[in-house]
PDB file of all heavy atoms in Angstrom:
ATOM      1  N   LYS A 268      -9.710 -20.694 -32.739  1.00 89.00           N
ATOM      2  CA  LYS A 268      -8.429 -20.686 -32.035  1.00 89.00           C
ATOM      3  C   LYS A 268      -8.118 -19.291 -31.496  1.00 89.00           C
ATOM      4  O   LYS A 268      -7.619 -19.140 -30.380  1.00 89.00           O
ATOM      5  CB  LYS A 268      -7.307 -21.159 -32.970  1.00 89.00           C
ATOM      6  CG  LYS A 268      -7.474 -22.600 -33.422  1.00 89.00           C
ATOM      7  CD  LYS A 268      -7.667 -23.537 -32.252  1.00 89.00           C
ATOM      8  CE  LYS A 268      -7.988 -24.940 -32.693  1.00 89.00           C
ATOM      9  NZ  LYS A 268      -8.301 -25.832 -31.554  1.00 89.00           N
ATOM     10  N   PHE A 269      -8.409 -18.268 -32.297  1.00 86.00           N
ATOM     11  CA  PHE A 269      -8.205 -16.898 -31.833  1.00 86.00           C
ATOM     12  C   PHE A 269      -9.109 -16.602 -30.640  1.00 86.00           C
ATOM     13  O   PHE A 269      -8.681 -16.008 -29.645  1.00 86.00           O
ATOM     14  CB  PHE A 269      -8.505 -15.921 -32.966  1.00 86.00           C
ATOM     15  CG  PHE A 269      -8.606 -14.490 -32.506  1.00 86.00           C
ATOM     16  CD1 PHE A 269      -7.462 -13.768 -32.216  1.00 86.00           C
ATOM     17  CD2 PHE A 269      -9.843 -13.884 -32.349  1.00 86.00           C
ATOM     18  CE1 PHE A 269      -7.556 -12.449 -31.772  1.00 86.00           C
ATOM     19  CE2 PHE A 269      -9.940 -12.577 -31.908  1.00 86.00           C
ATOM     20  CZ  PHE A 269      -8.785 -11.864 -31.616  1.00 86.00           C
ATOM     21  N   GLU A 270     -10.340 -17.053 -30.727  1.00 82.00           N
ATOM     22  CA  GLU A 270     -11.301 -16.784 -29.658  1.00 82.00           C
ATOM     23  C   GLU A 270     -10.889 -17.463 -28.366  1.00 82.00           C
ATOM     24  O   GLU A 270     -11.018 -16.897 -27.276  1.00 82.00           O
ATOM     25  CB  GLU A 270     -12.683 -17.266 -30.099  1.00 82.00           C
ATOM     26  CG  GLU A 270     -13.791 -17.050 -29.083  1.00 82.00           C
ATOM     27  CD  GLU A 270     -15.115 -17.597 -29.573  1.00 82.00           C
ATOM     28  OE1 GLU A 270     -15.711 -16.972 -30.472  1.00 82.00           O
ATOM     29  OE2 GLU A 270     -15.529 -18.671 -29.080  1.00 82.00           O
ATOM     30  N   ARG A 271     -10.380 -18.674 -28.467  1.00 83.00           N
ATOM     31  CA  ARG A 271     -10.037 -19.425 -27.263  1.00 83.00           C
ATOM     32  C   ARG A 271      -8.747 -18.961 -26.620  1.00 83.00           C
ATOM     33  O   ARG A 271      -8.645 -18.894 -25.392  1.00 83.00           O
ATOM     34  CB  ARG A 271      -9.927 -20.911 -27.595  1.00 83.00           C
ATOM     35  CG  ARG A 271     -11.244 -21.554 -27.913  1.00 83.00           C
ATOM     36  CD  ARG A 271     -11.041 -23.024 -28.171  1.00 83.00           C
ATOM     37  NE  ARG A 271     -12.300 -23.631 -28.586  1.00 83.00           N
ATOM     38  CZ  ARG A 271     -12.415 -24.868 -28.997  1.00 83.00           C
ATOM     39  NH1 ARG A 271     -11.349 -25.632 -29.050  1.00 83.00           N
ATOM     40  NH2 ARG A 271     -13.578 -25.364 -29.346  1.00 83.00           N
ATOM     41  N   LEU A 272      -7.727 -18.686 -27.444  1.00 88.00           N
ATOM     42  CA  LEU A 272      -6.424 -18.370 -26.894  1.00 88.00           C
ATOM     43  C   LEU A 272      -6.112 -16.883 -26.903  1.00 88.00           C
ATOM     44  O   LEU A 272      -5.422 -16.387 -26.013  1.00 88.00           O
ATOM     45  CB  LEU A 272      -5.332 -19.121 -27.673  1.00 88.00           C
ATOM     46  CG  LEU A 272      -5.259 -20.625 -27.450  1.00 88.00           C
ATOM     47  CD1 LEU A 272      -4.149 -21.226 -28.282  1.00 88.00           C
ATOM     48  CD2 LEU A 272      -5.040 -20.947 -25.978  1.00 88.00           C
ATOM     49  N   GLY A 273      -6.583 -16.144 -27.913  1.00 87.00           N
ATOM     50  CA  GLY A 273      -6.201 -14.754 -28.075  1.00 87.00           C
ATOM     51  C   GLY A 273      -6.581 -13.886 -26.902  1.00 87.00           C
ATOM     52  O   GLY A 273      -5.726 -13.232 -26.271  1.00 87.00           O
ATOM     53  N   ILE A 274      -7.861 -13.858 -26.558  1.00 84.00           N
ATOM     54  CA  ILE A 274      -8.335 -13.007 -25.460  1.00 84.00           C
ATOM     55  C   ILE A 274      -7.707 -13.436 -24.140  1.00 84.00           C
ATOM     56  O   ILE A 274      -7.273 -12.605 -23.344  1.00 84.00           O
ATOM     57  CB  ILE A 274      -9.872 -13.053 -25.377  1.00 84.00           C
ATOM     58  CG1 ILE A 274     -10.480 -12.451 -26.640  1.00 84.00           C
ATOM     59  CG2 ILE A 274     -10.368 -12.328 -24.137  1.00 84.00           C
ATOM     60  CD1 ILE A 274     -11.978 -12.593 -26.735  1.00 84.00           C
ATOM     61  N   ARG A 275      -7.622 -14.719 -23.936  1.00 89.00           N
ATOM     62  CA  ARG A 275      -7.023 -15.243 -22.708  1.00 89.00           C
ATOM     63  C   ARG A 275      -5.547 -14.825 -22.607  1.00 89.00           C
ATOM     64  O   ARG A 275      -5.083 -14.380 -21.548  1.00 89.00           O
ATOM     65  CB  ARG A 275      -7.145 -16.769 -22.736  1.00 89.00           C
ATOM     66  CG  ARG A 275      -6.770 -17.483 -21.453  1.00 89.00           C
ATOM     67  CD  ARG A 275      -7.051 -18.959 -21.631  1.00 89.00           C
ATOM     68  NE  ARG A 275      -6.677 -19.734 -20.469  1.00 89.00           N
ATOM     69  CZ  ARG A 275      -6.684 -21.056 -20.448  1.00 89.00           C
ATOM     70  NH1 ARG A 275      -7.051 -21.733 -21.522  1.00 89.00           N
ATOM     71  NH2 ARG A 275      -6.333 -21.718 -19.356  1.00 89.00           N
ATOM     72  N   TYR A 276      -4.828 -14.952 -23.692  1.00 94.00           N
ATOM     73  CA  TYR A 276      -3.415 -14.592 -23.723  1.00 94.00           C
ATOM     74  C   TYR A 276      -3.222 -13.103 -23.451  1.00 94.00           C
ATOM     75  O   TYR A 276      -2.349 -12.703 -22.666  1.00 94.00           O
ATOM     76  CB  TYR A 276      -2.849 -14.973 -25.096  1.00 94.00           C
ATOM     77  CG  TYR A 276      -1.433 -14.532 -25.351  1.00 94.00           C
ATOM     78  CD1 TYR A 276      -0.362 -15.202 -24.754  1.00 94.00           C
ATOM     79  CD2 TYR A 276      -1.156 -13.471 -26.206  1.00 94.00           C
ATOM     80  CE1 TYR A 276       0.952 -14.814 -25.003  1.00 94.00           C
ATOM     81  CE2 TYR A 276       0.143 -13.080 -26.456  1.00 94.00           C
ATOM     82  CZ  TYR A 276       1.191 -13.751 -25.853  1.00 94.00           C
ATOM     83  OH  TYR A 276       2.480 -13.362 -26.107  1.00 94.00           O
ATOM     84  N   TRP A 277      -4.039 -12.255 -24.078  1.00 92.00           N
ATOM     85  CA  TRP A 277      -3.909 -10.807 -23.877  1.00 92.00           C
ATOM     86  C   TRP A 277      -4.187 -10.408 -22.437  1.00 92.00           C
ATOM     87  O   TRP A 277      -3.522  -9.531 -21.896  1.00 92.00           O
ATOM     88  CB  TRP A 277      -4.856 -10.062 -24.821  1.00 92.00           C
ATOM     89  CG  TRP A 277      -4.429 -10.111 -26.246  1.00 92.00           C
ATOM     90  CD1 TRP A 277      -3.155 -10.288 -26.708  1.00 92.00           C
ATOM     91  CD2 TRP A 277      -5.262  -9.997 -27.389  1.00 92.00           C
ATOM     92  NE1 TRP A 277      -3.143 -10.291 -28.078  1.00 92.00           N
ATOM     93  CE2 TRP A 277      -4.417 -10.112 -28.525  1.00 92.00           C
ATOM     94  CE3 TRP A 277      -6.625  -9.810 -27.578  1.00 92.00           C
ATOM     95  CZ2 TRP A 277      -4.908 -10.040 -29.824  1.00 92.00           C
ATOM     96  CZ3 TRP A 277      -7.114  -9.735 -28.875  1.00 92.00           C
ATOM     97  CH2 TRP A 277      -6.264  -9.848 -29.980  1.00 92.00           C
ATOM     98  N   MET A 278      -5.147 -11.059 -21.817  1.00 91.00           N
ATOM     99  CA  MET A 278      -5.468 -10.710 -20.436  1.00 91.00           C
ATOM    100  C   MET A 278      -4.351 -11.133 -19.493  1.00 91.00           C
ATOM    101  O   MET A 278      -4.045 -10.433 -18.520  1.00 91.00           O
ATOM    102  CB  MET A 278      -6.799 -11.342 -20.036  1.00 91.00           C
ATOM    103  CG  MET A 278      -7.976 -10.789 -20.826  1.00 91.00           C
ATOM    104  SD  MET A 278      -9.574 -11.345 -20.213  1.00 91.00           S
ATOM    105  CE  MET A 278      -9.674 -10.440 -18.676  1.00 91.00           C
ATOM    106  N   ILE A 279      -3.704 -12.261 -19.771  1.00 95.00           N
ATOM    107  CA  ILE A 279      -2.575 -12.687 -18.941  1.00 95.00           C
ATOM    108  C   ILE A 279      -1.416 -11.709 -19.099  1.00 95.00           C
ATOM    109  O   ILE A 279      -0.781 -11.307 -18.118  1.00 95.00           O
ATOM    110  CB  ILE A 279      -2.135 -14.114 -19.318  1.00 95.00           C
ATOM    111  CG1 ILE A 279      -3.253 -15.117 -19.036  1.00 95.00           C
ATOM    112  CG2 ILE A 279      -0.890 -14.506 -18.531  1.00 95.00           C
ATOM    113  CD1 ILE A 279      -2.984 -16.506 -19.569  1.00 95.00           C
ATOM    114  N   LEU A 280      -1.124 -11.314 -20.345  1.00 96.00           N
ATOM    115  CA  LEU A 280      -0.035 -10.364 -20.566  1.00 96.00           C
ATOM    116  C   LEU A 280      -0.350  -8.992 -19.977  1.00 96.00           C
ATOM    117  O   LEU A 280       0.561  -8.274 -19.533  1.00 96.00           O
ATOM    118  CB  LEU A 280       0.269 -10.243 -22.058  1.00 96.00           C
ATOM    119  CG  LEU A 280       1.577 -10.934 -22.491  1.00 96.00           C
ATOM    120  CD1 LEU A 280       1.487 -12.435 -22.213  1.00 96.00           C
ATOM    121  CD2 LEU A 280       1.903 -10.683 -23.940  1.00 96.00           C
ATOM    122  N   THR A 281      -1.619  -8.609 -19.944  1.00 94.00           N
ATOM    123  CA  THR A 281      -1.998  -7.362 -19.283  1.00 94.00           C
ATOM    124  C   THR A 281      -1.692  -7.441 -17.798  1.00 94.00           C
ATOM    125  O   THR A 281      -1.158  -6.486 -17.205  1.00 94.00           O
ATOM    126  CB  THR A 281      -3.497  -7.077 -19.497  1.00 94.00           C
ATOM    127  OG1 THR A 281      -3.752  -6.937 -20.903  1.00 94.00           O
ATOM    128  CG2 THR A 281      -3.925  -5.814 -18.780  1.00 94.00           C
ATOM    129  N   PHE A 282      -2.011  -8.570 -17.179  1.00 94.00           N
ATOM    130  CA  PHE A 282      -1.668  -8.772 -15.762  1.00 94.00           C
ATOM    131  C   PHE A 282      -0.170  -8.657 -15.559  1.00 94.00           C
ATOM    132  O   PHE A 282       0.300  -7.989 -14.620  1.00 94.00           O
ATOM    133  CB  PHE A 282      -2.170 -10.140 -15.294  1.00 94.00           C
ATOM    134  CG  PHE A 282      -1.561 -10.587 -13.991  1.00 94.00           C
ATOM    135  CD1 PHE A 282      -2.040 -10.114 -12.780  1.00 94.00           C
ATOM    136  CD2 PHE A 282      -0.491 -11.481 -13.981  1.00 94.00           C
ATOM    137  CE1 PHE A 282      -1.466 -10.517 -11.579  1.00 94.00           C
ATOM    138  CE2 PHE A 282       0.081 -11.885 -12.790  1.00 94.00           C
ATOM    139  CZ  PHE A 282      -0.402 -11.405 -11.586  1.00 94.00           C
ATOM    140  N   LEU A 283       0.620  -9.309 -16.425  1.00 96.00           N
ATOM    141  CA  LEU A 283       2.075  -9.262 -16.283  1.00 96.00           C
ATOM    142  C   LEU A 283       2.602  -7.839 -16.478  1.00 96.00           C
ATOM    143  O   LEU A 283       3.543  -7.416 -15.799  1.00 96.00           O
ATOM    144  CB  LEU A 283       2.736 -10.204 -17.293  1.00 96.00           C
ATOM    145  CG  LEU A 283       2.598 -11.705 -17.017  1.00 96.00           C
ATOM    146  CD1 LEU A 283       3.252 -12.516 -18.130  1.00 96.00           C
ATOM    147  CD2 LEU A 283       3.203 -12.074 -15.665  1.00 96.00           C
ATOM    148  N   SER A 284       1.990  -7.102 -17.401  1.00 96.00           N
ATOM    149  CA  SER A 284       2.417  -5.717 -17.629  1.00 96.00           C
ATOM    150  C   SER A 284       2.199  -4.866 -16.389  1.00 96.00           C
ATOM    151  O   SER A 284       3.061  -4.057 -16.003  1.00 96.00           O
ATOM    152  CB  SER A 284       1.657  -5.125 -18.821  1.00 96.00           C
ATOM    153  OG  SER A 284       1.938  -5.831 -20.015  1.00 96.00           O
ATOM    154  N   ILE A 285       1.050  -5.051 -15.749  1.00 95.00           N
ATOM    155  CA  ILE A 285       0.762  -4.314 -14.513  1.00 95.00           C
ATOM    156  C   ILE A 285       1.754  -4.702 -13.422  1.00 95.00           C
ATOM    157  O   ILE A 285       2.267  -3.850 -12.689  1.00 95.00           O
ATOM    158  CB  ILE A 285      -0.687  -4.586 -14.056  1.00 95.00           C
ATOM    159  CG1 ILE A 285      -1.681  -4.032 -15.093  1.00 95.00           C
ATOM    160  CG2 ILE A 285      -0.945  -3.979 -12.680  1.00 95.00           C
ATOM    161  CD1 ILE A 285      -3.114  -4.435 -14.839  1.00 95.00           C
ATOM    162  N   LEU A 286       2.057  -6.000 -13.333  1.00 94.00           N
ATOM    163  CA  LEU A 286       3.026  -6.480 -12.346  1.00 94.00           C
ATOM    164  C   LEU A 286       4.402  -5.856 -12.580  1.00 94.00           C
ATOM    165  O   LEU A 286       5.056  -5.393 -11.642  1.00 94.00           O
ATOM    166  CB  LEU A 286       3.117  -8.002 -12.409  1.00 94.00           C
ATOM    167  CG  LEU A 286       4.138  -8.677 -11.492  1.00 94.00           C
ATOM    168  CD1 LEU A 286       3.767  -8.464 -10.031  1.00 94.00           C
ATOM    169  CD2 LEU A 286       4.235 -10.172 -11.802  1.00 94.00           C
ATOM    170  N   LEU A 287       4.827  -5.820 -13.831  1.00 95.00           N
ATOM    171  CA  LEU A 287       6.141  -5.264 -14.160  1.00 95.00           C
ATOM    172  C   LEU A 287       6.192  -3.763 -13.921  1.00 95.00           C
ATOM    173  O   LEU A 287       7.212  -3.226 -13.460  1.00 95.00           O
ATOM    174  CB  LEU A 287       6.482  -5.591 -15.621  1.00 95.00           C
ATOM    175  CG  LEU A 287       6.741  -7.075 -15.907  1.00 95.00           C
ATOM    176  CD1 LEU A 287       6.776  -7.340 -17.405  1.00 95.00           C
ATOM    177  CD2 LEU A 287       8.046  -7.532 -15.264  1.00 95.00           C
ATOM    178  N   LEU A 288       5.103  -3.069 -14.237  1.00 95.00           N
ATOM    179  CA  LEU A 288       5.039  -1.634 -13.962  1.00 95.00           C
ATOM    180  C   LEU A 288       5.129  -1.365 -12.460  1.00 95.00           C
ATOM    181  O   LEU A 288       5.775  -0.405 -12.023  1.00 95.00           O
ATOM    182  CB  LEU A 288       3.755  -1.048 -14.534  1.00 95.00           C
ATOM    183  CG  LEU A 288       3.695  -0.899 -16.058  1.00 95.00           C
ATOM    184  CD1 LEU A 288       2.278  -0.519 -16.510  1.00 95.00           C
ATOM    185  CD2 LEU A 288       4.705   0.147 -16.539  1.00 95.00           C
ATOM    186  N   ALA A 289       4.486  -2.224 -11.670  1.00 94.00           N
ATOM    187  CA  ALA A 289       4.545  -2.076 -10.215  1.00 94.00           C
ATOM    188  C   ALA A 289       5.962  -2.293  -9.688  1.00 94.00           C
ATOM    189  O   ALA A 289       6.338  -1.748  -8.642  1.00 94.00           O
ATOM    190  CB  ALA A 289       3.586  -3.064  -9.550  1.00 94.00           C
ATOM    191  N   GLU A 290       6.748  -3.077 -10.427  1.00 93.00           N
ATOM    192  CA  GLU A 290       8.145  -3.308 -10.047  1.00 93.00           C
ATOM    193  C   GLU A 290       9.068  -2.212 -10.550  1.00 93.00           C
ATOM    194  O   GLU A 290      10.289  -2.276 -10.342  1.00 93.00           O
ATOM    195  CB  GLU A 290       8.609  -4.662 -10.600  1.00 93.00           C
ATOM    196  CG  GLU A 290       7.897  -5.853  -9.990  1.00 93.00           C
ATOM    197  CD  GLU A 290       8.313  -7.160 -10.653  1.00 93.00           C
ATOM    198  OE1 GLU A 290       9.077  -7.119 -11.642  1.00 93.00           O
ATOM    199  OE2 GLU A 290       7.880  -8.236 -10.176  1.00 93.00           O
ATOM    200  N   GLY A 291       8.488  -1.228 -11.253  1.00 93.00           N
ATOM    201  CA  GLY A 291       9.293  -0.117 -11.750  1.00 93.00           C
ATOM    202  C   GLY A 291       9.882  -0.336 -13.125  1.00 93.00           C
ATOM    203  O   GLY A 291      10.761   0.426 -13.555  1.00 93.00           O
ATOM    204  N   LYS A 292       9.430  -1.350 -13.828  1.00 94.00           N
ATOM    205  CA  LYS A 292       9.941  -1.631 -15.170  1.00 94.00           C
ATOM    206  C   LYS A 292       8.989  -1.057 -16.222  1.00 94.00           C
ATOM    207  O   LYS A 292       7.776  -1.069 -16.031  1.00 94.00           O
ATOM    208  CB  LYS A 292      10.095  -3.137 -15.373  1.00 94.00           C
ATOM    209  CG  LYS A 292      11.073  -3.780 -14.393  1.00 94.00           C
ATOM    210  CD  LYS A 292      11.137  -5.280 -14.574  1.00 94.00           C
ATOM    211  CE  LYS A 292      12.092  -5.911 -13.565  1.00 94.00           C
ATOM    212  NZ  LYS A 292      12.144  -7.393 -13.692  1.00 94.00           N
ATOM    213  N   SER A 293       9.541  -0.612 -17.317  1.00 92.00           N
ATOM    214  CA  SER A 293       8.728  -0.018 -18.382  1.00 92.00           C
ATOM    215  C   SER A 293       8.436  -1.047 -19.459  1.00 92.00           C
ATOM    216  O   SER A 293       9.343  -1.739 -19.937  1.00 92.00           O
ATOM    217  CB  SER A 293       9.448   1.177 -19.007  1.00 92.00           C
ATOM    218  OG  SER A 293       8.707   1.673 -20.119  1.00 92.00           O
ATOM    219  N   VAL A 294       7.170  -1.140 -19.829  1.00 93.00           N
ATOM    220  CA  VAL A 294       6.772  -2.062 -20.896  1.00 93.00           C
ATOM    221  C   VAL A 294       6.376  -1.312 -22.163  1.00 93.00           C
ATOM    222  O   VAL A 294       5.881  -1.914 -23.117  1.00 93.00           O
ATOM    223  CB  VAL A 294       5.587  -2.943 -20.435  1.00 93.00           C
ATOM    224  CG1 VAL A 294       5.989  -3.828 -19.278  1.00 93.00           C
ATOM    225  CG2 VAL A 294       4.374  -2.084 -20.077  1.00 93.00           C
ATOM    226  N   PHE A 295       6.643  -0.004 -22.180  1.00 93.00           N
ATOM    227  CA  PHE A 295       6.187   0.826 -23.295  1.00 93.00           C
ATOM    228  C   PHE A 295       7.277   0.926 -24.376  1.00 93.00           C
ATOM    229  O   PHE A 295       8.004   1.914 -24.473  1.00 93.00           O
ATOM    230  CB  PHE A 295       5.788   2.220 -22.802  1.00 93.00           C
ATOM    231  CG  PHE A 295       4.674   2.199 -21.804  1.00 93.00           C
ATOM    232  CD1 PHE A 295       4.922   2.458 -20.464  1.00 93.00           C
ATOM    233  CD2 PHE A 295       3.374   1.890 -22.199  1.00 93.00           C
ATOM    234  CE1 PHE A 295       3.886   2.426 -19.534  1.00 93.00           C
ATOM    235  CE2 PHE A 295       2.346   1.857 -21.279  1.00 93.00           C
ATOM    236  CZ  PHE A 295       2.597   2.123 -19.943  1.00 93.00           C
ATOM    237  N   ASN A 296       7.403  -0.135 -25.153  1.00 91.00           N
ATOM    238  CA  ASN A 296       8.260  -0.110 -26.330  1.00 91.00           C
ATOM    239  C   ASN A 296       7.689  -1.092 -27.352  1.00 91.00           C
ATOM    240  O   ASN A 296       6.814  -1.895 -27.037  1.00 91.00           O
ATOM    241  CB  ASN A 296       9.724  -0.427 -25.987  1.00 91.00           C
ATOM    242  CG  ASN A 296       9.901  -1.811 -25.392  1.00 91.00           C
ATOM    243  OD1 ASN A 296       9.661  -2.817 -26.050  1.00 91.00           O
ATOM    244  ND2 ASN A 296      10.315  -1.860 -24.120  1.00 91.00           N
ATOM    245  N   TRP A 297       8.193  -1.029 -28.569  1.00 94.00           N
ATOM    246  CA  TRP A 297       7.573  -1.802 -29.655  1.00 94.00           C
ATOM    247  C   TRP A 297       7.752  -3.298 -29.486  1.00 94.00           C
ATOM    248  O   TRP A 297       6.963  -4.086 -30.017  1.00 94.00           O
ATOM    249  CB  TRP A 297       8.097  -1.334 -31.005  1.00 94.00           C
ATOM    250  CG  TRP A 297       9.511  -1.732 -31.330  1.00 94.00           C
ATOM    251  CD1 TRP A 297      10.644  -1.074 -31.002  1.00 94.00           C
ATOM    252  CD2 TRP A 297       9.916  -2.889 -32.069  1.00 94.00           C
ATOM    253  NE1 TRP A 297      11.754  -1.733 -31.481  1.00 94.00           N
ATOM    254  CE2 TRP A 297      11.331  -2.856 -32.153  1.00 94.00           C
ATOM    255  CE3 TRP A 297       9.234  -3.945 -32.676  1.00 94.00           C
ATOM    256  CZ2 TRP A 297      12.073  -3.835 -32.807  1.00 94.00           C
ATOM    257  CZ3 TRP A 297       9.972  -4.918 -33.337  1.00 94.00           C
ATOM    258  CH2 TRP A 297      11.371  -4.859 -33.387  1.00 94.00           C
ATOM    259  N   HIS A 298       8.735  -3.734 -28.729  1.00 96.00           N
ATOM    260  CA  HIS A 298       8.890  -5.167 -28.496  1.00 96.00           C
ATOM    261  C   HIS A 298       7.738  -5.718 -27.646  1.00 96.00           C
ATOM    262  O   HIS A 298       7.347  -6.877 -27.798  1.00 96.00           O
ATOM    263  CB  HIS A 298      10.226  -5.448 -27.808  1.00 96.00           C
ATOM    264  CG  HIS A 298      11.375  -5.464 -28.765  1.00 96.00           C
ATOM    265  ND1 HIS A 298      12.667  -5.777 -28.397  1.00 96.00           N
ATOM    266  CD2 HIS A 298      11.425  -5.222 -30.097  1.00 96.00           C
ATOM    267  CE1 HIS A 298      13.463  -5.721 -29.445  1.00 96.00           C
ATOM    268  NE2 HIS A 298      12.734  -5.373 -30.483  1.00 96.00           N
ATOM    269  N   SER A 299       7.199  -4.877 -26.758  1.00 96.00           N
ATOM    270  CA  SER A 299       6.026  -5.314 -25.994  1.00 96.00           C
ATOM    271  C   SER A 299       4.847  -5.579 -26.924  1.00 96.00           C
ATOM    272  O   SER A 299       4.070  -6.512 -26.719  1.00 96.00           O
ATOM    273  CB  SER A 299       5.646  -4.252 -24.952  1.00 96.00           C
ATOM    274  OG  SER A 299       6.639  -4.136 -23.957  1.00 96.00           O
ATOM    275  N   LEU A 300       4.708  -4.749 -27.962  1.00 96.00           N
ATOM    276  CA  LEU A 300       3.658  -4.975 -28.953  1.00 96.00           C
ATOM    277  C   LEU A 300       3.867  -6.300 -29.658  1.00 96.00           C
ATOM    278  O   LEU A 300       2.902  -7.047 -29.914  1.00 96.00           O
ATOM    279  CB  LEU A 300       3.643  -3.825 -29.964  1.00 96.00           C
ATOM    280  CG  LEU A 300       2.629  -3.942 -31.123  1.00 96.00           C
ATOM    281  CD1 LEU A 300       1.201  -4.013 -30.587  1.00 96.00           C
ATOM    282  CD2 LEU A 300       2.788  -2.787 -32.089  1.00 96.00           C
ATOM    283  N   VAL A 301       5.115  -6.620 -29.974  1.00 96.00           N
ATOM    284  CA  VAL A 301       5.428  -7.913 -30.596  1.00 96.00           C
ATOM    285  C   VAL A 301       4.961  -9.049 -29.703  1.00 96.00           C
ATOM    286  O   VAL A 301       4.367 -10.033 -30.176  1.00 96.00           O
ATOM    287  CB  VAL A 301       6.949  -8.028 -30.869  1.00 96.00           C
ATOM    288  CG1 VAL A 301       7.313  -9.451 -31.315  1.00 96.00           C
ATOM    289  CG2 VAL A 301       7.382  -7.028 -31.927  1.00 96.00           C
ATOM    290  N   HIS A 302       5.195  -8.936 -28.415  1.00 96.00           N
ATOM    291  CA  HIS A 302       4.796  -9.998 -27.488  1.00 96.00           C
ATOM    292  C   HIS A 302       3.271 -10.090 -27.381  1.00 96.00           C
ATOM    293  O   HIS A 302       2.719 -11.197 -27.313  1.00 96.00           O
ATOM    294  CB  HIS A 302       5.413  -9.740 -26.115  1.00 96.00           C
ATOM    295  CG  HIS A 302       6.908  -9.703 -26.127  1.00 96.00           C
ATOM    296  ND1 HIS A 302       7.677 -10.662 -26.756  1.00 96.00           N
ATOM    297  CD2 HIS A 302       7.790  -8.800 -25.610  1.00 96.00           C
ATOM    298  CE1 HIS A 302       8.955 -10.375 -26.609  1.00 96.00           C
ATOM    299  NE2 HIS A 302       9.050  -9.241 -25.920  1.00 96.00           N
ATOM    300  N   PHE A 303       2.589  -8.953 -27.365  1.00 96.00           N
ATOM    301  CA  PHE A 303       1.125  -8.977 -27.297  1.00 96.00           C
ATOM    302  C   PHE A 303       0.525  -9.591 -28.561  1.00 96.00           C
ATOM    303  O   PHE A 303      -0.573 -10.142 -28.512  1.00 96.00           O
ATOM    304  CB  PHE A 303       0.577  -7.561 -27.081  1.00 96.00           C
ATOM    305  CG  PHE A 303       0.335  -7.221 -25.642  1.00 96.00           C
ATOM    306  CD1 PHE A 303       1.356  -6.697 -24.858  1.00 96.00           C
ATOM    307  CD2 PHE A 303      -0.895  -7.457 -25.053  1.00 96.00           C
ATOM    308  CE1 PHE A 303       1.148  -6.393 -23.519  1.00 96.00           C
ATOM    309  CE2 PHE A 303      -1.118  -7.158 -23.721  1.00 96.00           C
ATOM    310  CZ  PHE A 303      -0.099  -6.624 -22.942  1.00 96.00           C
ATOM    311  N   LEU A 304       1.237  -9.511 -29.663  1.00 95.00           N
ATOM    312  CA  LEU A 304       0.775 -10.147 -30.904  1.00 95.00           C
ATOM    313  C   LEU A 304       1.112 -11.635 -30.944  1.00 95.00           C
ATOM    314  O   LEU A 304       0.774 -12.322 -31.906  1.00 95.00           O
ATOM    315  CB  LEU A 304       1.398  -9.442 -32.117  1.00 95.00           C
ATOM    316  CG  LEU A 304       0.936  -8.004 -32.371  1.00 95.00           C
ATOM    317  CD1 LEU A 304       1.726  -7.395 -33.520  1.00 95.00           C
ATOM    318  CD2 LEU A 304      -0.564  -7.967 -32.671  1.00 95.00           C
ATOM    319  N   GLY A 305       1.772 -12.120 -29.910  1.00 95.00           N
ATOM    320  CA  GLY A 305       2.120 -13.541 -29.854  1.00 95.00           C
ATOM    321  C   GLY A 305       3.325 -13.898 -30.691  1.00 95.00           C
ATOM    322  O   GLY A 305       3.542 -15.083 -30.982  1.00 95.00           O
TER     323      GLY A 305
END
């Protein structure tokens, strides 16, 4: 389950982080880590 969903989920959230940074929003706080941990 980790193999199927974990890597896929992290890569999607990485894309969203880049998108949000491009919009001028900061994702650098501990709540972002909570979200990356699912």
Side-chain angles (χ1 to χ4, degrees):
K268 296 307 174 185
F269 168 77
E270 180 182 287
R271 290 182 185 174
L272 288 180
I274 296 173
R275 189 176 178 188
Y276 174 75
W277 288 335
M278 295 188 71
I279 297 171
L280 254 62
T281 299
F282 165 81
L283 288 178
S284 298
I285 295 171
L286 177 65
L287 291 168
L288 287 171
E290 294 175 355
K292 299 177 181 178
S293 175
V294 296
F295 300 107
N296 61 65
W297 73 273
H298 279 184
S299 293
L300 177 60
V301 171
H302 300 312
F303 266 87
L304 292 175

